[in-house]
Amino acid sequence: MTTTNDFPAVDTLLQDARLDKELKIIGEKVLASERLTPEDGLLLFEKGELGLLGALANMVRVRKHGDKTFFNRNFHIEPTNVCVFTCKFCSYSRLYKNREDGWELSIEEMLDIVKKYDNQPVTEVHIVGGVHPKMNMDYFCELIEKIKKHRPNLHLKGFTAVELDYMFRKAKLTVEEGMRRLNQAGLQSLPGGGAEIFHPDIRAQIAHDKVDADGWLAIHKAAHQLNMHTNATMLYGHIEKYEHRIDHMERLRSLQDETHGFQTFIPLKFRNKDNEMSHVPEASIIEDLKLYSVARLYMDNFPHLKAYWPMLGRNTAQLTLSFGVNDLDGTIDDTTKIYSMAGSEEQTPAMNTAQLAMLIKQAGRRPVERDTLYNEIRDYTDVEFTEEELAS
Ligand code: V47
Ligand code: SF4
């Protein structure tokens, strides 16, 4: 069998005579950098022990990125929490028809948020929110143009495929036309939201009225064809089965083979507070770590795997760094509205750069600040932080 002196833990696990034969074959494929089939992926979920999955995922992560763990400095703008859709897992939106406790920001209010960061070294603004029928294409083009005029070097990542699908259909534009217009206005990349679970059997139960899998993928493909980069998410740990996770990852991996436009895969843990799926128990930490490991092994053409710490919690996010993850999103000031409403224990609004870098160092990794396109800005490995910075 193939062996590698660099990863003795993997060798030891694969040589153990008690290891299931099929798992051993999959492990050897990973060692030889061969692609896993959907059947392999399913078997990893069903039979793979966390120790083996983690050792394999960590090996792949180290091969791709060494000890680097990326984060960026960004802030979010949520134009509205009013939404015409009725996703059962959503704790955040207020239905358009009873929107008394919803908010709707004007363009000036959103520009004021951007201006608040004028003297801060943020590199990205992430715009994402509910789907409000009055906030249309023209509105968002104006917003994008004004932000770009105010701060041309700020990278503008915005709008899930769900928001875009609605916006394009209202404006009677094809996906390609709509995407081009937003790109010309200054939109540079797309976040990965709205993907949830693509399989129609599950999507019909949790998000029946928004864009379907083909629509979501077509929007990301159109963005890739304009040389825009995008991310992809998967909402896991609710009513989906392992086979639905593999189906989801397979659809993304196939599109990535065609376009190479995805940067990062972001599994999002379902949180069950204050939504119509509160009766569904949340996944265990073991299940979280297995999922991240299998994602790293299966999504072989996605460069980056991100754990979104405001949702996962800091401790689990730190653990994922040994299970394939190489990105922890950002030091963000006010992003947790969606997740604190959904039940994440993470009520503290932000980790500053010192705290996030320390969390990464404690896991034995190198904290590296990146921009949206993963250009490296600064390696924090040898930076000494003051007690004040770490405590604030
Ligand atoms: O699509 C909603 C999720 C997503 C819940 O691309 C929930 O860099 C868990 O996509 N429990 C939006 N998740 C957020 C998103 C995102 C976040 C961070 C970075 C990036 C990126 C993208 O939030 C939605 C949905 O899947 N969500 N409700 C819930 N109860
Ligand atoms: Fe609307 Fe997004 Fe919530 Fe679905 S998840 S109801 S699309 S805000």
Side-chain angles (χ1 to χ4, degrees), residues 83-87 89-90 92-93 129-131 162 196 210:
C83 190
V84 295
F85 296 120
T86 58
C87 306
F89 53 82
C90 183
Y92 159 82
S93 72
V131 178
V162 175
E196 322 312 355
K210 71 185 185 188

Side-chain angles (χ1 to χ4, degrees), residues 89 157 191-194 196 231 235 266 269 271 306 308 339 342:
F89 53 82
K157 173 172 97 180
E196 322 312 355
N231 293 337
L235 183 71
I266 314 163
K269 179 189 176 99
R271 309 305 306 234
K306 173 152 89 181
Y308 186 55
Y339 296 112

Side-chain angles (χ1 to χ4, degrees), residues 52-328:
L52 176 66
L53 296 183
L56 291 171
N58 191 53
M59 177 179 75
V60 173
R61 179 249 207 252
V62 172
R63 278 181 182 164
K64 281 185 196 269
H65 301 291
D67 277 338
K68 284 180 191 164
T69 297
F70 294 106
F71 66 93
N72 71 344
R73 296 208 217 191
N74 64 3
F75 63 99
H76 284 210
I77 297 180
E78 293 170 19
T80 180
N81 66 344
V82 170
C83 190
V84 295
F85 296 120
T86 58
C87 306
K88 296 257 188 308
F89 53 82
C90 183
S91 326
Y92 159 82
S93 72
R94 295 293 168 266
L95 255 187
Y96 184 60
K97 51 184 189 298
N98 29 348
R99 56 187 190 281
E100 299 77 37
D101 52 347
W103 77 80
E104 304 166 19
L105 300 184
S106 68
I107 288 181
E108 286 316 309
E109 284 171 320
M110 290 190 264
L111 271 176
D112 284 343
I113 297 176
V114 176
K115 287 175 189 163
K116 254 182 30 195
Y117 292 89
D118 272 355
N119 298 316
Q120 294 192 38
V122 289
T123 56
E124 172 189 284
V125 53
H126 178 168
I127 306 177
V128 69
V131 178
H132 191 302
K134 294 206 181 115
M135 292 181 170
N136 59 20
M137 187 85 188
D138 291 335
Y139 187 84
F140 284 122
C141 282
E142 186 183 334
L143 171 69
I144 294 167
E145 278 160 6
K146 287 192 166 155
I147 295 177
K148 277 310 229 187
K149 190 160 175 238
H150 178 73
R151 192 163 171 178
N153 292 333
L154 191 63
H155 186 105
L156 224 148
K157 173 172 97 180
F159 311 115
T160 65
V162 175
E163 295 165 272
L164 294 172
D165 169 68
Y166 187 86
M167 221 187 279
F168 299 163
R169 283 189 291 117
K170 264 214 123 164
K172 298 197 175 15
L173 294 172
T174 65
V175 168
E176 289 72 23
E177 287 164 349
M179 216 61 230
R180 200 170 311 116
R181 250 193 87 189
L182 287 170
N183 185 225
Q184 279 163 359
L187 185 68
Q188 289 159 285
S189 50
L190 305 188
E196 322 312 355
I197 287 285
F198 287 143
H199 197 287
D201 290 353
I202 302 299
R203 207 167 181 85
Q205 294 180 64
I206 64 168
H208 73 100
D209 51 1
K210 71 185 185 188
V211 66
D212 65 7
D214 290 345
W216 191 100
L217 292 163
I219 285 174
H220 282 256
K221 184 172 178 174
H224 297 168
Q225 283 165 344
L226 292 169
N227 291 323
M228 295 166 75
H229 288 280
T230 77
N231 293 337
T233 57
M234 173 170 78
L235 183 71
Y236 74 92
H238 43 91
I239 59 167
E240 90 290 359
K241 301 218 161 41
Y242 291 148
E243 69 220 50
H244 302 119
R245 296 181 184 178
I246 294 292
D247 173 79
H248 190 92
M249 292 195 277
E250 178 57 30
R251 293 181 202 228
L252 291 170
R253 195 172 77 168
S254 300
L255 179 57
Q256 178 74 333
D257 279 341
E258 240 183 273
T259 62
H260 307 287
F262 287 115
Q263 299 202 109
T264 310
F265 183 52
I266 314 163
L268 295 171
K269 179 189 176 99
F270 164 69
R271 309 305 306 234
N272 67 6
K273 193 173 147 226
D274 289 337
N275 55 48
E276 285 182 51
M277 289 171 65
S278 292
H279 57 286
V280 177
E282 292 181 359
S284 66
I285 292 181
I286 302 293
E287 221 20 73
D288 294 332
L289 298 176
K290 279 175 78 172
L291 183 273
Y292 280 97
S293 304
V294 176
R296 171 55 86 190
L297 299 175
Y298 200 80
M299 307 293 270
D300 57 1
N301 54 5
F302 272 63
H304 305 287
L305 179 65
K306 173 152 89 181
Y308 186 55
W309 66 261
M311 175 180 52
L312 258 191
R314 294 172 198 201
N315 295 338
T316 311
Q318 192 179 37
L319 274 175
T320 65
L321 299 184
S322 300
F323 293 83
V325 166
N326 71 300
D327 188 327
L328 282 188

